[in-house]
Amino acid sequence: MKRRGWAVLVLWMVWSSCGSTASESDLPPSDGRDGETLAADQEVSEHLFTVMGDQIGLDFQHFNASSNERLLPETMGSGVAFFDFDNDLYPDLYLVNGAPLRGNADNSHTGRLYRNLGNGTFRDVTRGSGLEESFFGMGVAVGDMENDGLLDLAVSGVDSVRFYRNLGNGKFENVSQQVQIDCPGYGASLAFLDFDRDGWIDLLVTRYVEWTADTDIPCSPDGVHRTYCTPEVYPAISNCLFRNVDGKRFENVSKKAGLEELKGKALGAVTLDSNSDGWPDVAVANDTVGNFLLVNQGDGTFTDVGIDSGMAYSESGAARGGMGIDVGDVDGDGLVDIVIGNFSQEMSAFFRGVESGYFMDDAAQVGIGLPTLMTLAFGTLVEDFDNDGWLDILLVNGHIEPEIAATRPSQAYRQVPQFFRNVEGMKLEALDGNAAGLRDQLWVARGFASGDFDQDGDLDFVVTQNGGPAYLLRNNLKENNWLRIALTGTQSNRTGYGARVRIQIDSSRTLTRYLESGRSYLSASEPVITVGLGRAEAVERIEVQWPSGQLQEIESPPINSILRVTEPEGNAGKTR
């Protein structure tokens, strides 16, 4: 049975050809900065993206504790989260930071929380937030553990994982012990998913390798100079899965789920429904060992089908250095595709879904193979950056070895990002660096996340650097229509993770989008679905398949607007 109707639909901002009609009361306090004109605004008509940092209050500088010892974590960077922590409708930023790897931390280096002021700027509100804790952080995930309407933070580090409960009013509390999160070791990416579909989001924590500062292995190709070791010299380690028990605590179910004996060298993770059975699966990008595709059996266990599915190895059967990962229906055939950013001298992977649950690496054929052969991709996103209705592929790059050019002149430590525009599902073309405004951006990029920070309907991006500043890439797109869909679950988890949305533009075209957690490298994107509509002037219908099984339809939604859709309550409408 289908449930038809709007449920709860709030159109808080509607855009027309004349501009925004948002009322003054819709905007958050701006601390007297309303009307401030940024110098970068002069570049809006010249480039697709404007790269911004200090001028908008984003003054973050990553601390990587670099030393002559070349300890492994020094070169791995950390992630970033785009999320609305204060529910003022503007997504804020949390940036994970490093700390000394030896000795006692002194809180001089902590993660940073930036509040979006709604006028194109951010303000650092870390002090007094409860997030002023010094540890060598890696990844971050956002989700509503308690279903109370406030997004919480899970943050991994090289020692353990921390869980920060959002208390409201800009306050967070480290409740790791209270909620019984315990996953010691070198943590990497995290992902929220409701793997048992009980309405409470669970947490997957990936781990990289078995490493501590005391067990770090010195590597020196010439016997004199230290370099960063590759992960081959360290033992693999398993990942952790925590089941959410009624929003009160987590239960470690790693062994029950079949993950404890499955050891990899995980860096990236993303949730997906790989076989369209309604149960959330997880794809894991491993570094120098085969990738995992963890298929949910629906009974609390997972089975790795990475090899059988075709996404564990390259076409030649080789393991690659997987870093970032994301998923989406890139070719528009209704099947999910998987993109993985790999190490230098290894093409990034485009695992095209050829049938439900099976994939084939078509990177070279679609156009991202050779252009990515010599780059080292970390942050990896599948997003429609130009709102034409086709999902694009975005990679941000940077090497791990600062002196790589001395031994391999064809490679560089600082590298340009690579954005590939989707040409109607047929091929992917590299976006011209001049037109994009990214040609001269040489970064040691690591974390990468998306969100609409200025609420104008196109996606903006934040990139972090290892040992360097973070930048926001403001999208200056002026063409194409759009629709943004913010989901609130009632029977499903409140964040809506795992929902599938089908947007029927007309009788000839339907777009499929998913709200997934994890994604990219160590980062969390804004949990809102952004749909580019190209020149389409209307949408006939939206169909939301909720994680609970309810199927909800919305007829003729207005475009160029934000739809806030709440799942119907009750048990009616369950279809799986």
Side-chain angles (χ1 to χ4, degrees):
M1 174 181 177
K2 297 179 180 180
R3 289 292 298 268
R4 298 179 179 269
W6 286 99
V8 175
L9 169 61
V10 179
L11 300 176
W12 70 269
M13 183 179 292
V14 179
W15 293 78
S16 67
S17 59
C18 297
S20 171
T21 61
S23 67
E24 205 170 292
S25 61
D26 289 323
L27 303 178
S30 60
D31 301 326
R33 300 174 77 171
D34 281 330
E36 180 177 338
T37 300
L38 300 175
D41 286 345
Q42 305 304 315
E43 302 177 29
V44 168
S45 61
E46 184 180 353
H47 301 299
L48 176 57
F49 293 101
T50 301
V51 180
M52 313 175 84
D54 286 344
Q55 70 268 47
I56 59 170
L58 183 60
D59 59 356
F60 177 78
Q61 180 82 19
H62 178 250
F63 178 77
N64 65 351
S66 62
S67 68
N68 292 331
E69 289 187 271
R70 299 293 176 95
L71 302 177
L72 180 64
E74 296 174 8
T75 194
M76 300 305 294
S78 59
V80 55
F82 241 135
F83 75 126
D84 183 7
F85 76 81
D86 52 5
N87 286 337
D88 67 354
L89 307 180
Y90 286 95
D92 312 293
L93 290 172
Y94 174 76
L95 292 110
V96 185
N97 206 358
L101 288 165
R102 295 192 187 278
N104 296 322
D106 58 5
N107 288 341
S108 59
H109 304 285
T110 73
R112 300 273 288 278
L113 181 67
Y114 289 87
R115 180 170 179 255
N116 187 337
L117 301 182
N119 63 353
T121 66
F122 291 88
R123 184 180 60 179
D124 187 344
V125 294
T126 310
R127 179 176 295 182
S129 68
L131 297 172
E132 315 97 303
E133 184 180 358
S134 183
F135 60 98
F136 201 103
M138 290 291 293
V140 58
V142 299
D144 187 352
M145 175 199 175
E146 300 172 292
N147 289 340
D148 63 356
L150 297 170
L151 289 173
D152 308 303
L153 289 172
V155 185
S156 66
V158 299
D159 58 347
S160 64
V161 62
R162 292 155 176 81
F163 194 90
Y164 294 99
R165 176 178 289 151
N166 190 338
L167 305 177
N169 299 317
K171 307 293 184 182
F172 291 80
E173 180 184 6
N174 186 339
V175 294
S176 305
Q177 291 186 352
Q178 294 93 310
V179 300
Q180 300 177 28
I181 285 283
D182 183 22
C183 185
Y186 196 148
S189 291
L190 313 97
F192 282 110
L193 72 162
D194 185 4
F195 78 86
D196 52 4
R197 290 173 49 191
D198 65 352
W200 302 96
I201 52 171
D202 313 299
L203 179 63
L204 175 80
V205 181
T206 68
R207 294 190 289 185
Y208 189 28
V209 292
E210 290 187 12
W211 178 93
T212 67
D214 293 333
T215 61
D216 188 84
I217 298 173
C219 288
S220 176
D222 61 4
V224 178
H225 301 95
R226 287 284 296 267
T227 62
Y228 292 109
C229 291
T230 63
E232 285 100 332
V233 304
Y234 294 102
I237 191 170
S238 62
N239 302 316
C240 299
L241 180 65
F242 295 91
R243 178 177 175 267
N244 187 334
V245 182
D246 300 329
K248 298 177 182 178
R249 64 180 179 87
F250 286 104
E251 175 191 5
N252 191 331
V253 294
S254 308
K255 185 174 183 178
K256 293 180 183 177
L259 301 187
E260 195 169 86
E261 300 304 318
L262 187 63
K263 296 187 177 182
K265 299 181 180 183
L267 285 177
V270 62
T271 60
L272 75 164
D273 185 358
S274 64
N275 53 9
S276 303
D277 66 352
W279 292 91
D281 311 314
V282 182
V284 179
N286 283 318
D287 191 0
T288 70
V289 297
N291 303 312
F292 296 153
L293 181 57
L294 307 177
V295 171
N296 192 332
Q297 302 300 306
D299 60 0
T301 67
F302 289 81
T303 299
D304 175 32
V305 299
I307 295 176
D308 293 341
S309 70
M311 60 82 62
Y313 300 109
S314 71
E315 287 183 306
S316 64
R320 292 181 284 194
M323 307 295 176
I325 186 170
D326 203 3
V327 297
D329 182 9
V330 176
D331 52 8
D333 64 355
L335 297 172
V336 67
D337 308 304
I338 303 173
V339 179
I340 299 178
N342 290 318
F343 203 80
S344 58
Q345 296 181 288
E346 300 172 343
M347 296 185 296
S348 290
F350 174 68
F351 291 108
R352 186 196 300 274
V354 292
E355 59 179 288
S356 184
Y358 294 92
F359 304 87
M360 180 173 63
D361 191 354
D362 267 354
Q365 289 81 357
V366 300
I368 71 166
L370 288 178
T372 63
L373 180 59
M374 300 307 293
T375 54
L376 201 169
F378 277 89
T380 304
L381 285 173
V382 176
E383 296 281 18
D384 182 2
F385 65 73
D386 55 3
N387 278 351
D388 66 350
W390 294 95
L391 291 172
D392 311 300
I393 294 177
L394 302 85
L395 305 168
V396 293
N397 308 310
H399 212 280
I400 64 168
E401 181 54 59
E403 308 302 326
I404 187 63
T407 56
R408 296 184 182 177
S410 62
Q411 298 184 37
Y413 183 51
R414 300 181 181 276
Q415 301 178 8
V416 296
Q418 294 172 296
F419 288 10
F420 294 90
R421 189 194 301 273
N422 189 335
V423 183
E424 298 186 347
M426 302 299 294
K427 60 181 178 178
L428 291 147
E429 294 182 342
L431 186 65
D432 179 81
N434 286 328
L438 301 174
R439 179 181 178 181
D440 298 323
Q441 303 304 321
L442 295 172
W443 295 329
V444 189
R446 297 294 187 260
F448 193 35
S450 64
D452 185 5
F453 102 102
D454 48 7
Q455 297 294 355
D456 63 353
D458 53 41
L459 284 172
D460 311 294
F461 302 91
V462 169
V463 58
T464 69
Q465 294 190 84
N466 186 52
Y471 293 112
L472 183 139
L473 281 61
R474 187 186 63 194
N475 194 327
N476 301 320
L477 187 70
K478 294 183 178 179
E479 301 175 347
N480 293 331
N481 294 314
W482 53 274
L483 186 61
R484 304 197 76 223
I485 304 168
L487 302 174
T488 300
T490 56
Q491 308 304 302
S492 306
N493 68 88
R494 187 177 177 115
T495 318
Y497 284 139
R500 183 198 67 204
V501 179
R502 287 187 172 142
I503 304 94
Q504 183 176 334
I505 296 177
D506 52 37
S507 59
S508 65
R509 191 170 186 205
T510 299
L511 308 179
T512 304
R513 300 290 184 265
Y514 304 88
L515 184 62
E516 304 291 3
S517 179
R519 310 182 61 201
S520 191
Y521 174 74
L522 306 178
S523 298
S525 291
E526 183 186 10
V528 175
I529 295 174
T530 299
V531 184
L533 302 175
R535 298 306 175 91
E537 296 182 353
V539 168
E540 289 187 2
R541 181 183 299 107
I542 293 175
E543 177 188 276
V544 180
Q545 183 78 67
W546 292 92
S548 67
Q550 295 207 69
L551 189 64
Q552 181 180 3
E553 290 189 355
I554 299 171
E555 304 283 350
S556 304
I559 65 172
N560 296 334
S561 59
I562 300 177
L563 278 63
R564 303 184 71 84
V565 184
T566 297
E567 180 183 17
E569 296 189 10
N571 295 320
K574 291 195 174 181
T575 60
R576 60 177 188 238

